[in-house]
Amino acid sequence: MIKKRDIRSYTKEELRKFFEENGEKAFRGNQVYEWLWKKGAHTFDEMTNLSKSTRAFMDEHFIINHIKVDHMQRSNDGTIKNAVKLHDGLVVESVMIPTPTRTTACVSSQVGCSLNCEFCATARLKRMRNLNPDEIYDQVVAIDKQSRIYNNRPLSNIVFMGMGEPLMNYNNVLKSIEKITGDEGLGMSPKRITLSTSGIPKMIKKLADDQPKFNLALSLHSAIDEKRTQIMPFNEQFPLADIADSLKYWYNKTGTKVTYEYVVWKGINDQKEDVDALVNYCKIIPCKVNIIEYNSIDDPRFEQASQQALNMYEKTLEANGIVVNVRRSRGKDIDAACGQLANKE
């Protein structure tokens, strides 16, 4: 019996070679590659410009390990959360976030997470494995379809802010972005993609060396080492000075601003010293700050800061010439908001 291989692990050149070695014309490889990546085919029967015998032959040798949206929840505000079942039965979550002008896909890069942020529900799940490039790509395709159905428009933006730390699945994440942005894939602009990291200096430098065209966001939440370590214990291995060094390297190599994502909690980082530390950190390289509303994960240690504290942040940052946006959460009623993805219904 032939052990079937996942066809999407093949490059176009490898597919061309496979067809040639099996007595077919090499261009069949091009056709199959287009069906897999541009048209999102999940079965060989969909590949209608191939003969029935060729499709049967492929079915004998290959499988297409596509994802399945196992469960979909719609929020009152139009946000959709997908429970995405992978070929091995594991589940991750992805989210479609619509606004009047655009639709954003929030995608996962790992089953569980490699890091240990105290305030994040995903961090409570053990990291089972990294997602393959096609599994990340499939989340984007599924959300694009949902956007066309429910919002009557294609997907416009992608954020790697779902489950997992993207830089701990570096090669697969970059390969998925190649497919998403490539002419032979979805052809999306890399400028509409943001990769969010909790801050792994060595990998930020590696990313800078690879000269990506997409945007980088850092999940910061405190610019005081002691406080950041309390809420993000891995900060002990990757302190703020090391992250700052890697961000300078990033900016020198790419010339691209970084976005700092920042949640303000009551009694944790809602004092003037916290804002002042953030202002100083923002002076390291050109940047902007997104203040994000906290979404409860039923941990009494973490509580949304007062409106007064949020106003203090906003006014102080603006007074120092720093671009700041206060982001309201979406999809809270279905546990689809930032930090809530944990495979619970």
Side-chain angles (χ1 to χ4, degrees):
M1 186 177 152
I2 298 168
K3 183 171 172 12
K4 294 186 183 186
R5 280 195 63 186
D6 183 0
I7 193 165
R8 289 193 295 180
S9 65
Y10 282 65
T11 64
K12 185 164 71 170
E13 287 65 38
E14 286 169 338
L15 284 175
R16 285 173 61 86
K17 190 178 172 195
F18 171 82
F19 277 104
E20 271 192 317
E21 286 172 351
N22 286 278
E24 286 262 17
K25 296 275 193 291
F27 77 86
R28 291 281 176 229
N30 299 18
Q31 290 176 312
V32 170
Y33 195 82
E34 185 178 4
W35 275 108
L36 293 171
W37 295 109
K38 200 158 199 167
K39 298 177 180 173
H42 281 179
T43 66
F44 296 114
D45 280 342
E46 291 169 60
M47 301 180 182
T48 46
N49 57 354
L50 273 62
S51 69
K52 280 191 176 172
S53 60
T54 302
R55 283 181 259 164
F57 177 70
M58 293 186 67
D59 205 20
E60 229 176 275
H61 286 80
F62 298 113
I63 47 170
I64 305 173
N65 281 332
H66 61 84
I67 66 160
K68 180 180 172 224
V69 176
D70 207 34
H71 186 72
M72 185 187 100
Q73 289 173 279
R74 283 193 81 197
S75 165
N76 299 327
D77 62 22
T79 300
I80 289 176
K81 180 170 79 166
N82 297 312
V84 174
K85 187 174 266 188
L86 309 173
H87 68 92
D88 54 6
L90 293 173
V91 175
V92 294
E93 292 183 338
S94 65
V95 183
M96 182 195 86
I97 308 157
T99 70
T101 55
R102 64 188 188 181
T103 303
T104 300
C106 176
V107 298
S108 293
S109 56
Q110 295 181 312
V111 185
C113 187
S114 300
L115 301 177
N116 54 3
C117 302
E118 297 279 344
F119 52 84
C120 179
T122 310
R124 297 177 178 186
L125 305 173
K126 140 178 123 167
R127 189 192 76 82
M128 309 283 282
R129 70 171 174 86
N130 289 333
L131 293 189
N132 297 327
D134 52 279
E135 292 171 323
I136 297 168
Y137 177 90
D138 280 355
Q139 293 174 66
V140 173
V141 171
I143 290 174
D144 180 54
K145 283 180 184 164
Q146 288 171 334
S147 183
R148 289 169 193 271
I149 292 165
Y150 293 104
N151 307 320
N152 206 24
R153 62 171 182 238
L155 178 67
S156 58
N157 295 72
I158 301 167
V159 293
F160 280 78
M161 296 182 190
M163 300 168 77
E165 165 53 63
L167 293 186
M168 300 291 261
N169 184 16
Y170 189 88
N171 291 336
N172 288 349
V173 165
L174 261 63
K175 279 179 189 165
S176 75
I177 293 173
E178 270 174 39
K179 291 285 190 285
I180 290 162
T181 57
D183 291 338
E184 293 180 322
L186 300 181
M188 283 189 72
S189 167
K191 292 189 173 12
R192 294 183 171 272
I193 298 174
T194 300
L195 183 149
S196 174
T197 177
S198 292
I200 299 151
K202 181 175 81 174
M203 300 311 292
I204 292 171
K205 287 181 175 178
K206 180 171 170 52
L207 188 62
D209 283 337
D210 284 339
Q211 294 283 299
K213 300 285 188 287
F214 53 81
N215 303 301
L216 181 67
L218 177 76
S219 196
L220 184 60
H221 312 304
S222 178
I224 299 170
D225 263 316
E226 187 187 356
K227 291 193 180 188
R228 195 169 192 261
T229 300
Q230 280 172 9
I231 56 175
M232 304 167 85
F234 62 86
N235 185 69
E236 210 155 6
Q237 282 83 53
F238 309 126
L240 288 164
D242 291 359
I243 296 172
D245 184 52
S246 70
L247 292 174
K248 284 181 202 164
Y249 188 85
W250 161 269
Y251 188 73
N252 288 336
K253 282 272 182 177
T254 67
T256 307
K257 278 185 183 182
V258 168
T259 299
Y260 295 127
E261 292 153 345
Y262 200 100
V263 177
V264 189
W265 292 281
K266 185 177 177 181
I268 292 177
N269 59 351
D270 59 351
Q271 300 301 307
K272 188 172 184 307
E273 65 165 4
D274 299 297
V275 192
D276 291 343
L278 176 59
V279 167
N280 286 333
Y281 209 76
C282 287
K283 289 175 181 170
I284 294 164
I285 62 164
C287 64
K288 64 178 183 178
V289 176
N290 283 344
I291 302 283
I292 302 165
E293 190 178 348
Y294 176 59
N295 307 297
S296 172
I297 58 165
D298 300 324
D299 186 327
R301 293 174 298 167
F302 296 99
E303 195 183 323
Q304 172 72 37
S306 67
Q307 190 57 50
Q308 194 179 350
L310 295 179
N311 292 345
M312 173 179 64
Y313 265 92
E314 200 172 0
K315 283 178 183 168
T316 310
L317 288 165
E318 282 176 349
N320 283 275
I322 298 156
V323 176
V324 56
N325 297 300
V326 179
R327 296 262 186 245
R328 300 290 165 219
S329 281
R330 308 289 303 275
K332 287 168 89 165
D333 55 319
I334 55 170
D335 290 330
C338 276
Q340 289 187 320
L341 301 187
N343 290 340
K344 69 172 186 177
E345 292 176 15

